[in-house]
Amino acid sequence: MSPSDASDSAVLPEYLLDSVSLLSKKWHPAIVRCLADTTGYSFSDIEDRLDGVSAKVLTDALSELQAYEIIERREVSQSPLRVSYTLTERGEELNEVIASLADWGETHLAAPATERVVLVAEDNPRVNEMHTAWLEEEYTVRTASDGEETLRRLDGDVGVVVLDRRMPGPSGDDVLDWIRSQQYDIRVVMATSEDVDLDLLDMGFDDYLTKPIEKQELLSAAADLFERHQYDAQLQEYLALRAKLTLLQVEYSAERLESNDEYRRLRSRLNELEPASDDLDDVDPELFERIPVEIPS
């Protein structure tokens, strides 16, 4: 057999590539497993059972699975309109494949990487859904629409919170205080449409974004905050403090800041935490590109 013949025979058939593509999408196998051994679930039933999926992502996934004849959509009633989703015969066969893959992975693969969970706490439904859709490309996302729900959805599995500063119930400021009081190892990026004010000096956030937030801006912030988890507490404090003081330097004159006792105290603390150059050898330099302003001694 010539090298060219060997190369040609190694090309995967298109139907196999389509199958791999279908299974590799985050929510497709989950939906199939959810519908297995049931007589049908409504859209809301599936949404409740797939923690973290947005309505838009679920709608798109269901449509694609219908196009492949993996699931079937049936009208249960017309007034009011109620629909039910079930697996087709083809879907039942795919469920057996997914179950076998899960068993094989549990037996033969090393322990998976720790799940990276982001909690999006935002009372504006449109913004909540948009931020969730962006982050779902890389993370497991939980959502909350007010302060009470945010507190209920917080636990030690959450790595990053995108926290709206003004929400019904406990505000974002109150939720942030609670997170810090519980000593969770959670990084928090405050998201707000409000002007930057000196009240920020008393807040324990790790990063701060002003709405409207661009997609890449949010993804970069989340990636940076997950990156910080691998650093020691002193370097994490340094990075968070540097980001805060940089933010204020952009908004206020040096004279205004120097007249504030808390600013001077935090600036002194930043100088105490200044890491030696050797300590930064393993630190991603992009962390500093997002907070480039030099803090005076």
Side-chain angles (χ1 to χ4, degrees):
M1 181 183 292
S2 69
S4 61
D5 290 337
S7 175
D8 291 341
S9 65
V11 175
L12 294 176
E14 186 174 347
Y15 67 81
L16 180 55
L17 295 175
D18 287 343
S19 301
V20 172
S21 175
L22 185 68
L23 286 174
S24 67
K25 295 183 179 179
K26 176 177 178 180
W27 294 109
H28 289 44
I31 292 170
V32 172
R33 295 295 288 156
C34 176
L35 293 176
D37 302 321
T38 72
T39 57
Y41 281 146
S42 68
F43 184 95
S44 59
D45 289 334
I46 301 172
E47 190 175 27
D48 289 343
R49 285 164 174 77
L50 300 182
D51 189 24
V53 66
S54 68
K56 182 180 184 306
V57 169
L58 180 56
T59 298
D60 292 344
L62 290 172
S63 296
E64 187 166 1
L65 289 172
Q66 288 177 74
Y68 278 100
E69 299 181 0
I70 302 298
I71 64 173
E72 180 182 13
R73 178 182 181 274
R74 295 183 296 106
E75 285 192 8
V76 178
S77 67
Q78 291 186 336
S79 183
L81 177 62
R82 292 176 55 223
V83 299
S84 177
Y85 295 91
T86 56
L87 292 181
T88 62
E89 183 176 349
R90 184 179 296 181
E92 295 287 357
E93 293 175 354
L94 181 58
N95 176 59
E96 292 179 5
V97 173
I98 294 171
S100 296
L101 283 172
D103 291 341
W104 183 89
E106 184 177 3
T107 302
H108 298 289
L109 297 182
T114 303
E115 186 179 33
R116 298 191 298 174
V117 180
V118 179
L119 173 57
V120 175
E122 167 64 57
D123 68 321
N124 184 311
R126 184 185 66 81
V127 175
N128 193 316
E129 183 173 326
M130 180 173 62
H131 289 177
T132 296
W134 291 347
L135 290 163
E136 278 182 332
E137 297 174 4
E138 299 185 34
Y139 308 104
T140 297
V141 182
R142 301 179 187 178
T143 62
S145 58
D146 58 45
E148 291 289 349
E149 187 177 15
T150 301
L151 294 176
R152 290 196 304 271
R153 307 224 66 188
L154 276 168
D155 57 38
D157 292 335
V158 176
V160 170
V161 179
V162 181
L163 186 59
D164 183 18
R165 193 173 178 191
R166 299 292 180 234
M167 293 186 296
S171 67
D173 294 10
D174 295 331
V175 171
L176 176 60
D177 289 342
W178 186 87
I179 291 173
R180 296 305 179 226
S181 72
Q182 300 301 303
Q183 298 184 330
Y184 279 133
D185 184 22
I186 294 175
R187 308 276 66 79
V188 177
V189 53
M190 298 297 291
T192 182
S193 56
E194 298 182 353
D195 293 336
V196 173
D197 58 54
L198 291 176
D199 291 344
L200 301 183
L201 287 166
D202 298 320
M203 297 173 61
F205 58 82
D206 298 280
D207 205 348
Y208 194 95
L209 297 178
T210 302
K211 298 176 184 177
I213 300 170
E214 300 293 331
K215 177 179 180 179
Q216 192 53 52
E217 186 181 21
L218 181 61
L219 293 178
S220 295
D224 286 353
L225 295 184
F226 275 109
E227 180 82 10
R228 295 188 200 182
H229 278 284
Q230 65 182 290
Y231 304 136
D232 61 36
Q234 180 169 313
L235 184 52
Q236 290 193 40
E237 182 185 354
Y238 171 79
L239 291 168
L241 189 52
R242 181 184 169 102
K244 180 187 297 185
L245 298 189
T246 294
L247 179 69
L248 292 169
Q249 281 192 336
V250 172
E251 297 294 328
Y252 293 96
S253 67
E255 293 78 14
R256 175 73 181 278
L257 292 173
E258 288 300 328
S259 67
N260 186 287
D261 291 340
E262 181 64 7
Y263 174 82
R264 293 200 304 273
R265 185 189 72 78
L266 293 179
R267 191 191 66 189
S268 176
R269 175 61 177 164
L270 185 77
N271 291 330
E272 293 174 8
L273 294 169
E274 182 80 39
S277 58
D278 291 346
D279 295 333
L280 298 178
D281 289 343
D282 297 327
V283 176
D284 186 346
E286 291 187 5
L287 286 175
F288 291 94
E289 290 178 8
R290 297 187 66 244
I291 42 177
V293 178
E294 293 297 325
I295 307 296
S297 301

